[in-house]
Short mmCIF file of all heavy atoms in Angstrom, two decimals:
data_model
loop_
_atom_site.label_atom_id
_atom_site.label_comp_id
_atom_site.label_asym_id
_atom_site.label_seq_id
_atom_site.Cartn_x
_atom_site.Cartn_y
_atom_site.Cartn_z
N LEU A 178 20.87 -73.51 -10.19
CA LEU A 178 19.75 -73.02 -9.34
C LEU A 178 18.49 -72.81 -10.28
O LEU A 178 18.69 -72.11 -11.11
CB LEU A 178 20.14 -71.74 -8.55
CG LEU A 178 19.00 -71.19 -7.76
CD1 LEU A 178 18.60 -72.03 -6.60
CD2 LEU A 178 19.45 -69.70 -7.21
N GLY A 198 23.88 -85.65 -17.77
CA GLY A 198 24.30 -85.78 -19.13
C GLY A 198 24.76 -84.35 -19.67
O GLY A 198 25.59 -84.28 -20.59
N GLU A 211 13.03 -63.06 -4.41
CA GLU A 211 13.67 -62.80 -3.14
C GLU A 211 14.39 -64.07 -2.52
O GLU A 211 15.49 -64.05 -2.16
CB GLU A 211 12.66 -62.28 -2.14
CG GLU A 211 12.16 -60.86 -2.43
CD GLU A 211 11.40 -60.31 -1.27
OE1 GLU A 211 11.03 -61.03 -0.33
OE2 GLU A 211 11.01 -59.21 -1.33
N GLY A 213 15.41 -66.36 -4.44
CA GLY A 213 16.39 -66.69 -5.43
C GLY A 213 17.60 -65.96 -5.08
O GLY A 213 18.72 -66.52 -5.03
N ILE A 217 21.22 -67.68 -4.18
CA ILE A 217 22.38 -67.34 -5.01
C ILE A 217 23.60 -66.97 -4.19
O ILE A 217 24.72 -67.31 -4.34
CB ILE A 217 22.07 -66.11 -5.90
CG1 ILE A 217 21.25 -66.60 -7.06
CG2 ILE A 217 23.40 -65.58 -6.61
CD1 ILE A 217 20.69 -65.50 -7.95
N ALA A 317 41.95 -64.40 -27.38
CA ALA A 317 41.92 -65.75 -28.11
C ALA A 317 40.73 -66.62 -27.69
O ALA A 317 40.32 -67.45 -28.42
CB ALA A 317 43.25 -66.53 -27.76
N SER A 353 22.88 -67.57 -52.40
CA SER A 353 24.02 -67.94 -53.21
C SER A 353 24.60 -69.34 -52.93
O SER A 353 25.21 -69.98 -53.87
CB SER A 353 25.19 -66.97 -52.66
OG SER A 353 25.43 -67.20 -51.36
N ASP A 394 40.68 -44.63 -31.23
CA ASP A 394 39.31 -44.10 -31.48
C ASP A 394 38.41 -44.19 -30.38
O ASP A 394 38.60 -44.99 -29.50
CB ASP A 394 38.83 -45.11 -32.68
CG ASP A 394 39.56 -44.85 -34.05
OD1 ASP A 394 40.12 -43.65 -34.22
OD2 ASP A 394 39.46 -45.70 -34.92
#
Side-chain angles (χ1 to χ4, degrees):
L178 173 66
E211 288 188 355
I217 287 172
S353 62
D394 288 342

